[in-house]
Coordinates of all heavy atoms in Angstrom, one line a residue:
M1 N 28.3 -0.9 -27.0 CA 27.1 -0.2 -27.2 C 26.2 -0.4 -26.0 O 25.4 0.6 -25.7 CB 26.4 -0.8 -28.5 CG 25.2 0.0 -28.9 SD 25.7 1.6 -29.5 CE 24.2 2.3 -29.8
K2 N 26.2 -1.5 -25.4 CA 25.4 -1.8 -24.2 C 25.8 -0.9 -23.1 O 25.0 -0.4 -22.3 CB 25.5 -3.2 -23.9 CG 24.4 -3.7 -22.9 CD 24.2 -5.2 -22.9 CE 23.0 -5.5 -22.1 NZ 22.3 -6.6 -22.5
F3 N 27.1 -0.6 -23.0 CA 27.6 0.3 -21.9 C 27.1 1.7 -22.1 O 26.7 2.3 -21.1 CB 29.2 0.3 -21.9 CG 29.8 1.2 -20.9 CD1 29.8 0.8 -19.6 CD2 30.4 2.4 -21.3 CE1 30.3 1.7 -18.6 CE2 30.9 3.2 -20.3 CZ 30.9 2.9 -19.0
V4 N 27.0 2.1 -23.3 CA 26.5 3.5 -23.5 C 25.0 3.6 -23.1 O 24.6 4.5 -22.5 CB 26.7 3.9 -25.0 CG1 26.0 5.2 -25.3 CG2 28.2 3.9 -25.4
A5 N 24.3 2.5 -23.4 CA 22.9 2.5 -23.1 C 22.7 2.5 -21.5 O 21.8 3.2 -21.0 CB 22.2 1.3 -23.7
R6 N 23.6 1.8 -20.9 CA 23.5 1.8 -19.4 C 23.9 3.1 -18.8 O 23.3 3.5 -17.8 CB 24.4 0.7 -18.8 CG 23.8 -0.7 -19.0 CD 24.6 -1.7 -18.3 NE 24.1 -3.0 -18.6 CZ 24.1 -4.0 -17.7 NH1 24.7 -3.9 -16.6 NH2 23.5 -5.2 -18.0
V7 N 24.8 3.8 -19.4 CA 25.2 5.1 -18.9 C 24.1 6.1 -19.1 O 23.8 6.9 -18.2 CB 26.6 5.5 -19.5 CG1 26.8 7.0 -19.2 CG2 27.7 4.7 -19.1
L8 N 23.5 6.0 -20.2 CA 22.4 6.9 -20.5 C 21.1 6.6 -19.7 O 20.4 7.5 -19.3 CB 22.0 6.8 -22.0 CG 23.0 7.4 -23.0 CD1 22.6 7.2 -24.4 CD2 23.3 8.9 -22.7
L9 N 20.9 5.4 -19.3 CA 19.8 5.0 -18.5 C 20.0 5.1 -17.0 O 19.1 4.9 -16.2 CB 19.3 3.6 -18.8 CG 18.5 3.4 -20.1 CD1 18.2 1.9 -20.4 CD2 17.3 4.2 -20.1
F10 N 21.3 5.4 -16.6 CA 21.6 5.5 -15.2 C 20.7 6.5 -14.4 O 20.2 6.1 -13.3 CB 23.1 5.9 -14.9 CG 23.4 6.0 -13.5 CD1 23.5 4.9 -12.7 CD2 23.6 7.2 -12.9 CE1 23.8 5.0 -11.4 CE2 23.9 7.3 -11.6 CZ 24.0 6.2 -10.8
P11 N 20.4 7.7 -14.9 CA 19.5 8.6 -14.1 C 18.1 8.0 -14.0 O 17.5 8.1 -12.9 CB 19.4 9.8 -15.0 CG 20.7 9.8 -15.8 CD 21.0 8.4 -16.1
V12 N 17.6 7.3 -15.0 CA 16.3 6.6 -14.9 C 16.3 5.5 -13.8 O 15.4 5.4 -13.0 CB 15.8 6.1 -16.2 CG1 14.5 5.4 -16.1 CG2 15.7 7.2 -17.3
V13 N 17.4 4.7 -13.8 CA 17.5 3.6 -12.9 C 17.6 4.2 -11.5 O 17.0 3.7 -10.5 CB 18.7 2.7 -13.2 CG1 19.0 1.7 -12.1 CG2 18.5 2.0 -14.5
F14 N 18.4 5.3 -11.3 CA 18.6 5.9 -10.0 C 17.3 6.5 -9.5 O 16.9 6.3 -8.3 CB 19.7 7.0 -10.1 CG 19.9 7.7 -8.8 CD1 20.7 7.0 -7.8 CD2 19.5 8.9 -8.6 CE1 20.9 7.6 -6.6 CE2 19.8 9.6 -7.3 CZ 20.5 8.9 -6.4
L15 N 16.5 7.2 -10.3 CA 15.3 7.8 -9.9 C 14.2 6.7 -9.6 O 13.4 6.8 -8.7 CB 14.7 8.7 -11.0 CG 15.5 10.0 -11.1 CD1 15.0 10.9 -12.3 CD2 15.4 10.8 -9.8
S16 N 14.2 5.6 -10.4 CA 13.2 4.6 -10.1 C 13.6 3.8 -8.8 O 12.7 3.5 -8.1 CB 13.1 3.6 -11.3 OG 14.3 2.9 -11.5
A17 N 14.8 3.6 -8.6 CA 15.2 3.0 -7.3 C 14.9 3.9 -6.1 O 14.4 3.4 -5.1 CB 16.7 2.7 -7.3
F18 N 15.1 5.2 -6.3 CA 14.7 6.1 -5.2 C 13.2 6.1 -5.0 O 12.7 6.2 -3.9 CB 15.2 7.5 -5.6 CG 14.9 8.6 -4.5 CD1 15.6 8.6 -3.3 CD2 13.9 9.5 -4.8 CE1 15.3 9.6 -2.4 CE2 13.6 10.5 -3.8 CZ 14.3 10.5 -2.6
L19 N 12.4 6.1 -6.1 CA 11.0 6.0 -6.0 C 10.5 4.8 -5.3 O 9.6 4.8 -4.5 CB 10.4 6.1 -7.4 CG 8.9 6.0 -7.5 CD1 8.2 7.3 -6.9 CD2 8.4 5.8 -8.9
V20 N 11.1 3.6 -5.6 CA 10.8 2.4 -4.9 C 11.0 2.5 -3.4 O 10.2 2.1 -2.6 CB 11.5 1.2 -5.6 CG1 11.4 0.0 -4.7 CG2 11.0 0.9 -6.9
L21 N 12.2 3.0 -3.1 CA 12.5 3.2 -1.7 C 11.5 4.1 -0.9 O 11.0 3.7 0.1 CB 13.9 3.7 -1.5 CG 14.4 4.0 -0.1 CD1 14.6 2.6 0.6 CD2 15.7 4.7 -0.1
M22 N 11.2 5.2 -1.5 CA 10.2 6.1 -0.9 C 8.8 5.5 -0.8 O 8.1 5.7 0.2 CB 10.1 7.4 -1.7 CG 11.4 8.3 -1.6 SD 11.6 8.9 0.1 CE 13.1 8.0 0.5
L23 N 8.4 4.7 -1.9 CA 7.1 4.1 -1.8 C 7.1 3.0 -0.7 O 6.0 2.8 -0.1 CB 6.8 3.5 -3.2 CG 6.4 4.5 -4.3 CD1 6.2 3.8 -5.6 CD2 5.1 5.2 -3.9
K24 N 8.2 2.3 -0.6 CA 8.2 1.2 0.5 C 8.1 1.9 1.9 O 7.3 1.4 2.7 CB 9.5 0.4 0.4 CG 9.5 -0.6 -0.6 CD 10.7 -1.5 -0.6 CE 10.7 -2.6 -1.5 NZ 12.0 -3.4 -1.4
W25 N 8.8 3.0 2.1 CA 8.7 3.7 3.4 C 7.3 4.2 3.6 O 6.8 4.1 4.7 CB 9.8 4.8 3.4 CG 11.2 4.3 3.6 CD1 11.6 3.0 3.9 CD2 12.3 5.1 3.6 NE1 13.0 3.0 4.0 CE2 13.4 4.3 3.8 CE3 12.6 6.4 3.4 CZ2 14.8 4.7 3.9 CZ3 13.9 6.9 3.4 CH2 14.9 6.1 3.7
T26 N 6.8 4.8 2.6 CA 5.4 5.3 2.7 C 4.4 4.2 3.0 O 3.5 4.4 3.8 CB 5.0 6.1 1.4 OG1 6.0 7.1 1.2 CG2 3.7 6.7 1.6
L27 N 4.5 3.1 2.3 CA 3.6 2.0 2.6 C 3.7 1.5 4.0 O 2.7 1.2 4.7 CB 3.8 0.9 1.6 CG 2.9 -0.3 1.7 CD1 1.5 0.0 1.4 CD2 3.4 -1.5 0.8
N28 N 4.9 1.3 4.5 CA 5.1 0.9 5.8 C 4.6 1.9 6.9 O 3.9 1.5 7.8 CB 6.6 0.6 6.1 CG 7.1 -0.6 5.5 OD1 6.4 -1.5 5.2 ND2 8.4 -0.7 5.2
L29 N 4.8 3.1 6.6 CA 4.3 4.1 7.6 C 2.8 4.2 7.5 O 2.1 4.2 8.6 CB 4.9 5.5 7.2 CG 4.5 6.7 8.1 CD1 5.0 6.4 9.5 CD2 5.0 8.0 7.6
S30 N 2.2 4.1 6.3 CA 0.8 4.2 6.2 C 0.1 2.9 6.8 O -1.0 3.0 7.4 CB 0.3 4.4 4.8 OG 0.6 3.2 4.0
A31 N 0.8 1.8 6.7 CA 0.2 0.6 7.3 C 0.2 0.7 8.9 O -0.7 0.3 9.5 CB 1.0 -0.6 6.9
F32 N 1.3 1.3 9.4 CA 1.3 1.5 10.9 C 0.3 2.6 11.3 O -0.4 2.4 12.3 CB 2.7 2.0 11.4 CG 3.6 0.8 11.5 CD1 4.8 0.8 10.7 CD2 3.4 -0.2 12.4 CE1 5.7 -0.3 10.8 CE2 4.3 -1.2 12.6 CZ 5.4 -1.3 11.8
V33 N 0.1 3.6 10.5 CA -0.9 4.6 10.8 C -2.3 4.1 10.7 O -3.2 4.4 11.5 CB -0.7 5.9 9.9 CG1 -1.8 6.9 10.1 CG2 0.6 6.5 10.3
L34 N -2.6 3.3 9.7 CA -3.9 2.8 9.5 C -4.3 1.6 10.4 O -5.4 1.2 10.5 CB -4.1 2.4 8.1 CG -4.4 3.5 7.1 CD1 -4.5 2.9 5.7 CD2 -5.7 4.2 7.4
A35 N -3.3 1.0 11.1 CA -3.5 -0.2 11.9 C -4.4 0.1 13.1 O -5.4 -0.6 13.4 CB -2.2 -0.8 12.3
L36 N -4.2 1.2 13.8 CA -5.0 1.6 14.9 C -6.4 1.9 14.6 O -7.4 1.4 15.2 CB -4.3 2.7 15.7 CG -3.1 2.3 16.5 CD1 -2.5 3.5 17.2 CD2 -3.4 1.2 17.5
P37 N -6.7 2.7 13.6 CA -8.1 3.0 13.2 C -8.8 1.7 12.7 O -10.0 1.5 13.0 CB -8.1 4.0 12.1 CG -6.8 4.7 12.3 CD -5.8 3.7 12.8
M38 N -8.1 0.8 12.0 CA -8.7 -0.4 11.6 C -9.0 -1.3 12.8 O -10.1 -1.9 12.8 CB -7.7 -1.2 10.6 CG -7.7 -0.6 9.3 SD -6.5 -1.4 8.2 CE -7.4 -3.0 7.9
L39 N -8.2 -1.3 13.8 CA -8.5 -2.1 15.0 C -9.7 -1.5 15.7 O -10.5 -2.3 16.2 CB -7.2 -2.2 15.9 CG -7.3 -3.0 17.1 CD1 -7.5 -4.5 16.7 CD2 -6.0 -2.9 17.9
Y40 N -9.7 -0.2 15.8 CA -10.9 0.4 16.5 C -12.2 0.2 15.7 O -13.2 -0.1 16.3 CB -10.6 1.9 16.6 CG -11.7 2.7 17.2 CD1 -11.9 2.6 18.6 CD2 -12.6 3.5 16.5 CE1 -12.9 3.3 19.2 CE2 -13.6 4.2 17.1 CZ -13.8 4.1 18.5 OH -14.8 4.8 19.1
I41 N -12.1 0.3 14.4 CA -13.3 0.0 13.6 C -13.8 -1.4 13.7 O -15.0 -1.7 13.8 CB -13.0 0.3 12.1 CG1 -12.9 1.8 11.9 CG2 -14.1 -0.2 11.2 CD1 -12.4 2.2 10.5
F42 N -12.8 -2.4 13.8 CA -13.1 -3.8 14.0 C -13.8 -4.0 15.4 O -14.8 -4.7 15.5 CB -11.9 -4.6 13.9 CG -12.1 -6.1 14.1 CD1 -12.7 -6.8 13.1 CD2 -11.7 -6.7 15.3 CE1 -12.9 -8.2 13.2 CE2 -12.0 -8.1 15.4 CZ -12.6 -8.8 14.4
G43 N -13.3 -3.3 16.4 CA -13.9 -3.4 17.7 C -15.3 -2.9 17.7 O -16.2 -3.5 18.3
C44 N -15.5 -1.7 17.1 CA -16.8 -1.1 17.0 C -17.8 -2.0 16.2 O -19.0 -2.1 16.5 CB -16.8 0.3 16.4 SG -16.0 1.5 17.4
G45 N -17.2 -2.7 15.2 CA -18.0 -3.6 14.4 C -18.5 -4.8 15.2 O -19.7 -5.2 15.1
L46 N -17.6 -5.3 16.1 CA -18.0 -6.4 17.0 C -19.1 -5.9 17.9 O -20.1 -6.7 18.2 CB -16.8 -6.9 17.7 CG -15.8 -7.7 16.9 CD1 -14.7 -8.2 17.8 CD2 -16.4 -8.9 16.3
Y47 N -19.0 -4.7 18.4 CA -20.0 -4.2 19.4 C -21.4 -4.0 18.7 O -22.4 -4.3 19.2 CB -19.5 -2.9 20.0 CG -20.5 -2.3 20.9 CD1 -20.8 -2.8 22.2 CD2 -21.3 -1.2 20.5 CE1 -21.7 -2.3 23.0 CE2 -22.2 -0.6 21.4 CZ -22.4 -1.2 22.6 OH -23.4 -0.7 23.5
T48 N -21.3 -3.5 17.4 CA -22.6 -3.3 16.7 C -23.2 -4.7 16.3 O -24.4 -4.8 16.3 CB -22.4 -2.5 15.4 OG1 -21.4 -3.1 14.6 CG2 -22.0 -1.1 15.7
L49 N -22.4 -5.7 16.1 CA -22.9 -7.1 16.0 C -23.6 -7.5 17.2 O -24.7 -8.1 17.2 CB -21.8 -8.0 15.6 CG -21.5 -8.1 14.1 CD1 -20.3 -9.1 13.9 CD2 -22.7 -8.5 13.3
Y50 N -23.0 -7.3 18.4 CA -23.6 -7.7 19.6 C -24.9 -7.0 19.9 O -25.9 -7.6 20.4 CB -22.6 -7.4 20.8 CG -23.1 -7.6 22.1 CD1 -23.3 -9.0 22.6 CD2 -23.5 -6.6 23.0 CE1 -23.8 -9.2 23.8 CE2 -24.0 -6.8 24.2 CZ -24.2 -8.1 24.7 OH -24.7 -8.4 25.9
C51 N -25.0 -5.7 19.5 CA -26.2 -4.9 19.7 C -27.2 -5.1 18.6 O -28.3 -4.5 18.6 CB -25.9 -3.4 19.8 SG -24.9 -3.0 21.3
Q52 N -26.8 -5.8 17.6 CA -27.7 -6.1 16.4 C -28.1 -4.8 15.7 O -29.3 -4.7 15.3 CB -28.9 -7.0 16.8 CG -28.5 -8.3 17.3 CD -29.7 -9.2 17.7 OE1 -30.8 -8.7 17.7 NE2 -29.4 -10.4 18.0
E53 N -27.2 -3.9 15.5 CA -27.4 -2.7 14.7 C -26.8 -2.9 13.4 O -25.6 -2.6 13.1 CB -26.8 -1.5 15.5 CG -27.5 -1.3 16.8 CD -26.8 -0.2 17.6 OE1 -25.7 0.3 17.2 OE2 -27.2 0.1 18.7
W54 N -27.6 -3.4 12.4 CA -27.0 -3.9 11.2 C -26.6 -2.8 10.2 O -25.6 -3.0 9.5 CB -28.1 -4.8 10.5 CG -28.5 -5.9 11.4 CD1 -29.7 -6.1 12.0 CD2 -27.7 -7.0 11.9 NE1 -29.8 -7.2 12.8 CE2 -28.5 -7.8 12.8 CE3 -26.4 -7.4 11.8 CZ2 -28.1 -8.9 13.4 CZ3 -25.9 -8.5 12.4 CH2 -26.8 -9.3 13.2
L55 N -27.3 -1.7 10.2 CA -26.9 -0.6 9.3 C -25.5 0.0 9.8 O -24.7 0.2 8.9 CB -27.9 0.5 9.3 CG -27.7 1.6 8.3 CD1 -27.6 1.1 6.9 CD2 -28.8 2.7 8.4
Q56 N -25.4 0.1 11.1 CA -24.1 0.7 11.5 C -23.0 -0.4 11.3 O -21.8 0.0 11.0 CB -24.2 1.0 13.0 CG -25.0 2.2 13.3 CD -25.1 2.5 14.8 OE1 -24.4 1.9 15.6 NE2 -25.9 3.5 15.1
F57 N -23.3 -1.6 11.4 CA -22.3 -2.7 11.1 C -21.9 -2.6 9.7 O -20.7 -2.8 9.4 CB -22.8 -4.1 11.5 CG -21.9 -5.2 11.1 CD1 -20.7 -5.4 11.8 CD2 -22.2 -6.0 10.0 CE1 -19.9 -6.4 11.4 CE2 -21.3 -7.0 9.6 CZ -20.2 -7.2 10.3
L58 N -22.8 -2.4 8.8 CA -22.5 -2.3 7.4 C -21.6 -1.1 7.1 O -20.7 -1.2 6.3 CB -23.8 -2.3 6.5 CG -23.7 -2.2 5.0 CD1 -23.0 -3.5 4.5 CD2 -25.0 -2.0 4.4
I59 N -21.9 0.0 7.7 CA -21.1 1.2 7.5 C -19.7 0.9 8.0 O -18.7 1.3 7.3 CB -21.7 2.4 8.2 CG1 -23.0 2.8 7.5 CG2 -20.8 3.6 8.2 CD1 -23.9 3.8 8.3
L60 N -19.5 0.3 9.1 CA -18.2 0.0 9.7 C -17.5 -1.1 8.8 O -16.3 -1.0 8.6 CB -18.3 -0.5 11.1 CG -18.7 0.6 12.1 CD1 -19.0 -0.1 13.5 CD2 -17.6 1.6 12.2
L61 N -18.2 -2.0 8.2 CA -17.6 -3.0 7.4 C -17.1 -2.3 6.1 O -16.0 -2.7 5.7 CB -18.7 -4.1 7.0 CG -18.2 -5.2 6.2 CD1 -17.2 -6.1 7.0 CD2 -19.4 -6.1 5.7
V62 N -17.8 -1.4 5.5 CA -17.3 -0.7 4.4 C -16.1 0.2 4.7 O -15.1 0.2 3.9 CB -18.5 0.2 3.8 CG1 -17.9 1.2 2.7 CG2 -19.6 -0.7 3.2
A63 N -16.1 0.8 5.9 CA -14.9 1.6 6.3 C -13.7 0.7 6.5 O -12.6 1.0 6.1 CB -15.2 2.3 7.6
E64 N -13.9 -0.5 7.1 CA -12.8 -1.4 7.3 C -12.3 -1.9 5.9 O -11.1 -2.0 5.7 CB -13.3 -2.6 8.1 CG -12.2 -3.6 8.5 CD -11.4 -3.2 9.6 OE1 -11.8 -2.4 10.4 OE2 -10.2 -3.7 9.8
F65 N -13.2 -2.3 5.0 CA -12.8 -2.7 3.7 C -12.0 -1.6 2.9 O -11.1 -1.9 2.2 CB -14.0 -3.2 2.9 CG -13.6 -3.6 1.5 CD1 -13.0 -4.9 1.3 CD2 -13.9 -2.9 0.4 CE1 -12.6 -5.3 0.1 CE2 -13.5 -3.3 -0.9 CZ -12.9 -4.5 -1.0
G66 N -12.5 -0.3 3.1 CA -11.8 0.8 2.5 C -10.4 0.9 3.0 O -9.4 1.2 2.2
C67 N -10.1 0.8 4.3 CA -8.8 0.9 4.8 C -7.9 -0.3 4.3 O -6.8 -0.1 3.9 CB -8.8 0.8 6.3 SG -9.5 2.3 7.1
F68 N -8.5 -1.5 4.2 CA -7.8 -2.6 3.7 C -7.5 -2.4 2.2 O -6.3 -2.7 1.8 CB -8.6 -3.9 3.9 CG -8.0 -5.1 3.3 CD1 -6.9 -5.7 4.0 CD2 -8.4 -5.7 2.1 CE1 -6.3 -6.8 3.5 CE2 -7.8 -6.8 1.6 CZ -6.7 -7.4 2.3
A69 N -8.4 -1.9 1.5 CA -8.2 -1.6 0.0 C -7.1 -0.6 -0.2 O -6.3 -0.7 -1.1 CB -9.5 -1.1 -0.6
L70 N -7.0 0.4 0.7 CA -5.9 1.4 0.6 C -4.5 0.8 0.8 O -3.6 1.0 0.0 CB -6.1 2.5 1.7 CG -7.1 3.6 1.4 CD1 -7.3 4.5 2.6 CD2 -6.7 4.4 0.2
I71 N -4.4 -0.1 1.8 CA -3.1 -0.8 2.0 C -2.8 -1.7 0.8 O -1.7 -1.8 0.3 CB -3.1 -1.5 3.3 CG1 -3.2 -0.5 4.5 CG2 -1.9 -2.4 3.5 CD1 -3.3 -1.1 5.8
F72 N -3.8 -2.4 0.3 CA -3.6 -3.4 -0.8 C -3.2 -2.6 -2.0 O -2.3 -3.1 -2.7 CB -4.9 -4.2 -1.0 CG -4.8 -5.2 -2.0 CD1 -4.0 -6.4 -1.8 CD2 -5.3 -5.1 -3.3 CE1 -3.9 -7.4 -2.7 CE2 -5.2 -6.0 -4.2 CZ -4.5 -7.2 -4.0
M73 N -3.9 -1.5 -2.3 CA -3.5 -0.8 -3.5 C -2.1 -0.2 -3.4 O -1.4 -0.1 -4.4 CB -4.5 0.4 -3.8 CG -5.9 -0.1 -4.2 SD -5.7 -1.0 -5.8 CE -7.3 -1.9 -5.7
G74 N -1.7 0.3 -2.2 CA -0.4 0.7 -2.0 C 0.7 -0.4 -2.3 O 1.7 -0.1 -2.9
A75 N 0.4 -1.6 -1.8 CA 1.3 -2.7 -2.1 C 1.4 -3.0 -3.6 O 2.4 -3.3 -4.1 CB 0.8 -3.9 -1.3
L76 N 0.3 -2.9 -4.3 CA 0.3 -3.1 -5.7 C 1.2 -2.0 -6.4 O 1.9 -2.4 -7.4 CB -1.1 -3.1 -6.3 CG -2.0 -4.3 -6.0 CD1 -3.4 -4.1 -6.7 CD2 -1.3 -5.6 -6.6
I77 N 1.0 -0.8 -6.0 CA 1.8 0.3 -6.6 C 3.3 0.0 -6.3 O 4.2 0.2 -7.2 CB 1.4 1.6 -6.1 CG1 0.0 2.0 -6.6 CG2 2.3 2.7 -6.4 CD1 -0.7 3.1 -6.0
V78 N 3.7 -0.4 -5.1 CA 5.1 -0.6 -4.8 C 5.6 -1.8 -5.6 O 6.7 -1.8 -6.1 CB 5.2 -0.9 -3.2 CG1 6.6 -1.5 -2.9 CG2 5.0 0.4 -2.5
D79 N 4.8 -2.8 -5.8 CA 5.2 -4.0 -6.6 C 5.4 -3.6 -8.0 O 6.4 -4.0 -8.7 CB 4.1 -5.1 -6.5 CG 4.6 -6.3 -7.2 OD1 5.7 -6.8 -6.9 OD2 3.8 -6.8 -8.1
A80 N 4.5 -2.8 -8.6 CA 4.7 -2.3 -9.9 C 5.9 -1.5 -10.1 O 6.7 -1.6 -11.1 CB 3.5 -1.5 -10.4
A81 N 6.2 -0.6 -9.1 CA 7.5 0.2 -9.2 C 8.7 -0.7 -9.1 O 9.7 -0.4 -9.8 CB 7.4 1.2 -8.1
E82 N 8.7 -1.7 -8.3 CA 9.8 -2.6 -8.2 C 10.0 -3.4 -9.5 O 11.2 -3.5 -9.9 CB 9.6 -3.6 -7.0 CG 9.8 -3.0 -5.7 CD 9.5 -4.1 -4.6 OE1 8.9 -5.1 -4.9 OE2 10.0 -3.8 -3.4
R83 N 8.9 -3.8 -10.1 CA 9.1 -4.5 -11.4 C 9.6 -3.6 -12.4 O 10.5 -4.0 -13.3 CB 7.7 -5.0 -11.8 CG 7.3 -6.2 -11.0 CD 5.9 -6.7 -11.5 NE 5.4 -7.7 -10.6 CZ 5.2 -9.0 -11.0 NH1 5.6 -9.3 -12.2 NH2 4.7 -9.8 -10.1
F84 N 9.2 -2.3 -12.5 CA 9.7 -1.4 -13.4 C 11.2 -1.1 -13.2 O 12.0 -1.0 -14.1 CB 8.9 0.0 -13.3 CG 9.5 1.0 -14.2 CD1 9.3 1.0 -15.6 CD2 10.2 2.1 -13.7 CE1 9.8 1.9 -16.5 CE2 10.7 3.1 -14.5 CZ 10.5 3.0 -15.9
N85 N 11.6 -1.0 -11.9 CA 13.0 -0.7 -11.6 C 13.8 -1.9 -12.0 O 14.9 -1.8 -12.6 CB 13.1 -0.5 -10.1 CG 14.5 -0.2 -9.7 OD1 15.3 0.4 -10.5 ND2 14.9 -0.5 -8.5
G86 N 13.3 -3.1 -11.8 CA 14.1 -4.3 -12.2 C 14.2 -4.4 -13.7 O 15.2 -4.8 -14.3
W87 N 13.1 -4.0 -14.4 CA 13.1 -4.1 -15.9 C 14.1 -3.0 -16.4 O 14.9 -3.4 -17.3 CB 11.7 -3.8 -16.4 CG 11.6 -3.8 -17.9 CD1 11.7 -4.8 -18.7 CD2 11.5 -2.6 -18.7 NE1 11.6 -4.4 -20.0 CE2 11.5 -3.0 -20.0 CE3 11.4 -1.2 -18.4 CZ2 11.4 -2.1 -21.1 CZ3 11.2 -0.4 -19.5 CH2 11.2 -0.8 -20.8
V88 N 14.1 -1.8 -15.9 CA 15.0 -0.8 -16.4 C 16.5 -1.1 -16.0 O 17.4 -0.9 -16.9 CB 14.6 0.6 -15.8 CG1 15.7 1.6 -16.1 CG2 13.3 1.0 -16.4
A89 N 16.7 -1.7 -14.9 CA 18.1 -2.0 -14.5 C 18.6 -3.2 -15.3 O 19.8 -3.3 -15.5 CB 18.1 -2.4 -13.0
G90 N 17.7 -4.1 -15.8 CA 18.1 -5.2 -16.6 C 18.4 -4.9 -18.0 O 19.0 -5.7 -18.7
L91 N 18.1 -3.7 -18.5 CA 18.4 -3.4 -19.9 C 19.8 -3.2 -20.2 O 20.7 -2.9 -19.4 CB 17.7 -2.1 -20.2 CG 16.1 -2.2 -20.4 CD1 15.5 -0.8 -20.7 CD2 15.8 -3.2 -21.4

């Protein structure tokens, strides 16, 4: 009976494994793409600190935090997909 369940769940396991792979690739690519703007925003933030322009520094701080939150949320989504894939494969 367990073999029949595994055969019936094979398409779900295959699709979830493919989704995990695509999400990992997308997360890695987005991390590389967002790394340069984050570095630029950080440098501009240091300059605004030096010039004591506090409102501009706050705007840059929020932008930096937004980029960080995007990468963090992407990692959470990939982790959730991996857990789902492991759960389905373990049935």
Side-chain angles (χ1 to χ4, degrees):
M1 190 66 183
K2 196 163 189 145
F3 178 74
V4 174
R6 286 186 182 214
V7 169
L8 291 175
L9 284 176
F10 178 73
V12 176
V13 172
F14 182 73
L15 286 175
S16 66
F18 181 73
L19 179 69
V20 167
L21 180 66
M22 290 296 114
L23 284 173
K24 280 185 177 182
W25 285 354
T26 304
L27 180 65
N28 285 336
L29 181 63
S30 66
F32 280 116
V33 169
L34 280 176
L36 287 176
M38 285 178 71
L39 187 60
Y40 181 72
I41 291 170
F42 182 73
C44 291
L46 290 179
Y47 179 73
T48 57
L49 276 177
Y50 174 74
C51 294
Q52 297 180 353
E53 297 172 357
W54 305 112
L55 183 61
Q56 290 181 6
F57 174 73
L58 181 63
I59 293 169
L60 290 171
L61 184 68
V62 168
E64 184 82 21
F65 180 74
C67 292
F68 179 75
L70 281 173
I71 293 174
F72 184 74
M73 291 299 163
L76 285 179
I77 291 170
V78 169
D79 184 54
E82 284 179 345
R83 287 177 188 249
F84 176 74
N85 184 30
W87 178 73
V88 170
L91 290 179

